[in-house]
Amino acid sequence: MRAFYYFFVVVFLSACTSSKHINQSSSKKEIDLDKASGGGRYSILQDHAPTGDIKVDHLPDLVPKWEPKSRGGNKSSYKVWGKTYRVMNSANGYTAVGTASWYGKKFHGHKTSNGETYDMYAFSAAHKSLPLPTYLKVTNLDNKRSVIVRVNDRGPFHGDRLIDLSYAAAARLDYHKKGLARVKIEAITPKKGELYKASRTTSVAAKSTSVKQTKPTSSFTHLQLGAFSSQASANSLKTRLIQEFDTQIKVSVKKQEGNLYKVLAGPYKKLSDLNEWVGKIQDAGFSQPIRVSFSP
């Protein structure tokens, strides 16, 4: 599980050491190298940001919705480095203040704790005890910027870190260049059958789910299934979708600002068709699509 190797991510983000920490002795080197590489799983020993100054302002905000608990990552308790962590039954009313870090290139394309694929350009997060998935509003207390993220991973397990955000989420909160931020997190727990929207500047009452229900809008035209820095990765996802759905699905790869390659399904003229395909795509084992508006 990716979360077992978080120590090395946070070491990088704290800028406390370098790759020299694996060269202290032969036995220590073997131990650290095994952990840093995830037993050979990761080709990158220390996490880092993507190349270039990636822009995230154009990425659509997540729309929180009710989701069943994931099959993976929701055991009542689990152990990491000899310490036991307990998973909450519900995120309803949860709020906390603490330190946020972020994770990026090292884990990009690898499995998260609930079995989904980590995408550093999506708004996701890792948390030690919240149910998977959980939607959170995360606010940077230094600059008051906010972002909605979807928790689908476990960690961080170093020090007093509260949450680990994806690179895109950290960039939205403008702490991606310094690595750490003081944040407030508030759970958003929609009821089954209800769809909520929350702007990045509107506060969410963490101890209440009485957010006004908004009717689905027909402004959404596509489903975003992924955003990659590599065109080959985007084409690979496109191929998998075509293999799964054949001619039933209309899927394309669009190059966007910042050398991002987005995989889009659509267009959909009816919101009912778009929502139907959200279910089909998730039922087939793909990550949750994001509803977006896209003009050719």
Side-chain angles (χ1 to χ4, degrees):
M1 186 172 68
R2 179 195 58 76
F4 280 76
Y5 308 104
Y6 254 94
F7 174 76
F8 298 89
V9 182
V10 181
V11 166
F12 169 77
L13 296 176
S14 303
C16 295
T17 65
S18 69
S19 58
K20 294 179 181 178
H21 75 283
I22 67 173
N23 295 321
Q24 297 167 10
S25 68
S26 59
S27 59
K28 180 66 174 175
K29 177 180 177 180
E30 290 174 3
I31 294 171
D32 287 354
L33 181 60
D34 184 64
K35 284 186 176 181
S37 65
R41 181 182 180 190
Y42 304 114
S43 59
I44 302 173
L45 295 183
Q46 290 186 325
D47 198 15
H48 59 81
T51 303
D53 188 15
I54 304 299
K55 305 297 183 182
V56 298
D57 289 343
H58 65 286
L59 296 178
D61 294 334
L62 289 186
V63 180
K65 69 172 187 175
W66 179 89
E67 292 187 54
K69 290 183 179 180
S70 303
R71 291 183 180 179
N74 279 314
K75 289 184 178 180
S76 59
S77 64
Y78 62 95
K79 278 189 176 182
V80 177
W81 298 334
K83 183 176 180 179
T84 299
Y85 297 88
R86 303 197 179 279
V87 177
M88 299 163 57
N89 289 326
S90 170
N92 189 25
Y94 177 83
T95 182
V97 172
T99 302
S101 48
W102 59 261
Y103 61 117
K105 188 72 173 178
K106 176 176 179 177
F107 304 101
H108 186 67
H110 290 280
K111 295 294 184 183
T112 61
S113 296
N114 74 343
E116 297 175 353
T117 300
Y118 173 61
D119 180 357
M120 63 180 172
Y121 300 112
F123 293 135
S124 63
H127 190 276
K128 292 184 282 287
S129 58
L130 285 168
L132 304 182
T134 292
Y135 287 93
L136 295 174
K137 179 188 177 184
V138 185
T139 303
N140 185 335
L141 295 178
D142 291 329
N143 58 24
K144 306 307 179 184
R145 291 193 179 194
S146 295
V147 65
I148 302 296
V149 299
R150 181 173 174 270
V151 180
N152 65 352
D153 214 351
R154 291 289 174 223
F157 298 109
H158 176 67
D160 62 351
R161 307 288 195 271
L162 173 64
I163 194 169
D164 218 355
L165 300 187
S166 64
Y167 175 80
R172 176 63 64 87
L173 296 185
D174 195 28
Y175 75 90
H176 55 303
K177 293 184 178 179
K178 62 180 182 179
L180 301 174
R182 188 75 173 164
V183 300
K184 179 178 181 180
I185 63 176
E186 305 166 272
I188 304 172
T189 53
K191 295 179 181 179
K192 191 173 183 179
E194 293 181 340
L195 183 67
Y196 298 95
K197 285 187 97 171
S199 72
R200 70 184 73 165
T201 56
T202 303
S203 62
V204 178
K207 295 187 177 181
S208 172
T209 58
S210 59
V211 183
K212 289 185 179 180
Q213 183 176 357
T214 58
K215 294 183 179 180
T217 171
S218 59
S219 62
F220 298 122
T221 60
H222 290 73
L223 294 174
Q224 180 178 311
L225 303 167
F228 304 90
S229 58
S230 164
Q231 186 175 10
S233 298
N235 287 333
S236 176
L237 176 56
K238 176 183 175 181
T239 299
R240 286 169 47 214
L241 288 161
I242 292 174
Q243 289 174 341
E244 178 69 32
F245 297 109
D246 200 9
T247 57
Q248 298 177 64
I249 193 169
K250 297 177 182 177
V251 60
S252 59
V253 174
K254 304 291 186 184
K255 185 177 180 181
Q256 301 291 290
E257 236 180 280
N259 289 323
L260 283 182
Y261 295 89
K262 292 187 177 182
V263 182
L264 300 168
Y268 299 98
K269 294 183 178 179
K270 296 180 180 178
L271 186 59
S272 58
D273 292 339
L274 183 143
N275 288 334
E276 180 183 353
W277 271 98
V278 170
K280 285 183 179 181
I281 289 166
Q282 287 188 275
D283 289 345
F286 293 92
S287 298
Q288 181 196 16
I290 301 173
R291 298 168 175 83
V292 298
S293 297
F294 186 86
S295 300

